[in-house]
Amino acid sequence: MVQERTLPQFHAPAAQIAPEEGLRLYEDMILGRFFEDKCAEMYYRGKMFGFVHLYNGQEAVSSGVIKSLRSDDYVCSTYRDHVHALSAGVPAKNVMAELFGKETGCSKGRGGSMHLFSSEHNMLGGFAFIGEGIPVALGAAFQSRYRRDALGDSSADQVTACFFGDGTSNNGQFFECLNMAALWKLPILFVVENNKWAIGMAHERATSQPEIYKKASVFGMPGVEVDGMDVMAVREVAQQAVARARAGEGPTLIEALTYRFRGHSLADPDELRSKAEKEAWLARDPIKRFEGYLLEQNLADEGTLKEVRDRIQTTIDDALTFAEESPEPSPDDLYKYIFADE
């Protein structure tokens, strides 16, 4: 019998934020949650097709990390990429249009749910195969370091955030890329979103070292365990890692302990996880926790939070209308966008 990893007792960080920053984080988390809820509705109504993997429950990780980056930094995602794209600044209407396979989508309707991309926002892509994005993220981090050190470009201090799941941490790309990043002190954050389940495989049953952050020690880089249901905790860890990377001090491995509130994908009946486990994690909803923090710290009142939710709901409704009314890709363009110069 495999012993389940005991969830550590985390202590909320003492860091304070300005009301504007608190609302920026809250708005981003609400955007992610409302967007994914609308995707579920559209999928079950038969208006959205293919594999769709939602992010509900993990919003504190995306917002905490990506909102700690600059707009010219890089983000590399997985197949659970909608909310990463939104946090990186890709407009909700273009993400929704992509999920509908429309020409106005951020990947021109060619990528769909698992392959969101936006060069304008340095969103390097969602990737269907686990671990596939880690070498891409490593390349982005390498070019930043190369331009700064070899080409003398002092403005090349961009940092890359690379997201992947617990199941990926036993893949070869993970170890090879951590090794290279440590050797060359590349400006990259390796962010493990440990939601306990790799499709239907419990993390503890699939790895000889369930505490993923400890694997960083092998490569001589910092490894940090953080409460992935607390956006303030994630933000604090991310800011420290970003500062290290930008200062030329190399990579950090961040393991965010989180939980997805829905099945692996919308086609997953979610029968393998126990009701007690799901209820325990639902009680730690990162959005409800952050709402409580904002109110307790007098950073916002109920009316302000409702205004944010209403505004985001309008954004989601507008995005849906935009996606439904956008044109389909033309069959004449079947071979378009195959080569880089197109």
Side-chain angles (χ1 to χ4, degrees):
M1 184 71 178
V2 179
Q3 180 66 40
E4 182 178 359
R5 176 179 177 181
T6 302
L7 187 67
Q9 291 297 315
F10 291 109
H11 299 285
Q16 295 291 318
I17 57 173
E20 297 78 14
E21 177 65 11
L23 289 175
R24 187 173 80 106
L25 290 172
Y26 181 68
E27 182 171 324
D28 192 59
M29 294 172 74
I30 290 294
L31 176 63
R33 178 67 61 86
F34 284 15
F35 186 94
E36 298 293 68
D37 285 346
K38 182 58 69 173
C39 287
E41 178 189 340
M42 292 298 102
Y43 182 90
Y44 290 130
R45 288 175 59 186
K47 294 192 174 186
M48 189 179 290
F49 305 97
F51 285 105
V52 180
H53 308 81
L54 300 188
Y55 199 76
N56 298 56
Q58 302 182 202
E59 294 89 354
V61 185
S62 182
S63 296
V65 172
I66 298 176
K67 291 306 180 183
S68 297
L69 300 173
R70 293 192 320 224
S71 60
D72 62 335
D73 289 330
Y74 298 92
V75 173
C76 196
S77 187
T78 68
Y79 51 73
R80 205 178 300 279
D81 56 350
H82 309 167
V83 178
H84 294 154
L86 295 171
S87 292
V90 183
K93 65 179 185 178
N94 300 117
V95 179
M96 187 68 77
E98 185 60 37
L99 298 180
F100 274 70
K102 298 299 184 70
E103 183 69 34
T104 55
C106 56
S107 300
K108 307 300 183 184
R110 274 72 168 176
S113 173
M114 295 186 283
H115 300 285
L116 303 177
F117 172 83
S118 176
S119 59
E120 177 186 351
H121 301 91
N122 285 353
M123 172 66 182
L124 301 178
F127 295 88
F129 291 103
I130 64 169
E132 188 181 17
I134 302 180
V136 174
L138 190 83
F142 175 79
Q143 63 84 29
S144 293
R145 185 74 192 267
Y146 184 84
R147 286 194 295 117
R148 189 187 68 184
D149 293 353
L151 302 182
D153 183 356
S154 59
S155 67
D157 64 344
Q158 290 82 11
V159 172
T160 299
C162 177
F163 294 87
F164 49 95
D166 48 281
T168 302
S169 66
N170 288 320
N171 279 29
Q173 300 99 314
F174 171 80
F175 296 101
E176 292 179 22
C177 291
L178 261 66
N179 182 59
M180 188 176 292
L183 279 174
W184 293 341
K185 290 191 174 182
L186 300 184
I188 186 170
L189 279 60
F190 296 103
V191 184
V192 186
E193 299 188 275
N194 184 354
N195 60 25
K196 291 176 60 69
W197 291 85
I199 307 181
M201 172 61 73
H203 176 61
E204 288 82 3
R205 294 184 59 197
T207 181
S208 56
Q209 172 51 284
E211 295 174 297
I212 302 169
Y213 74 100
K214 291 184 177 180
K215 296 180 181 182
S217 64
V218 178
F219 305 101
M221 74 172 68
V224 185
E225 180 184 47
V226 66
D227 184 354
M229 308 300 273
D230 183 345
V231 69
M232 288 293 289
V234 176
R235 175 178 176 268
E236 184 175 55
V237 165
Q239 286 182 335
Q240 293 172 359
V242 169
R244 286 190 67 257
R246 215 177 300 281
E249 297 174 12
T252 302
L253 175 63
I254 300 172
E255 180 183 6
L257 299 177
T258 186
Y259 200 75
R260 51 175 166 79
F261 290 166
R262 293 181 179 271
H264 172 68
S265 73
L266 287 176
D268 176 13
D270 196 19
E271 297 171 340
L272 295 172
R273 304 186 300 176
S274 71
K275 180 180 179 181
E277 178 184 289
K278 286 186 274 192
E279 289 179 348
W281 282 91
L282 279 168
R284 302 181 66 236
D285 187 321
I287 292 179
K288 291 181 179 178
R289 289 180 71 184
F290 193 50
E291 285 176 347
Y293 174 86
L294 293 173
L295 295 171
E296 290 166 8
Q297 298 296 319
N298 295 316
L299 297 170
D301 56 30
E302 290 282 6
T304 302
L305 299 183
K306 184 179 184 302
E307 287 176 7
V308 171
R309 294 192 295 268
D310 290 345
R311 184 170 67 254
I312 294 301
Q313 188 60 62
T314 298
T315 298
I316 299 301
D317 293 341
D318 291 345
L320 179 61
T321 299
F322 176 83
E324 291 180 321
E325 293 179 352
S326 290
E328 302 275 353
S330 170
D332 295 335
D333 294 334
L334 179 62
Y335 298 105
K336 194 175 181 181
Y337 304 121
I338 293 177
F339 298 103
D341 59 0
E342 297 180 335

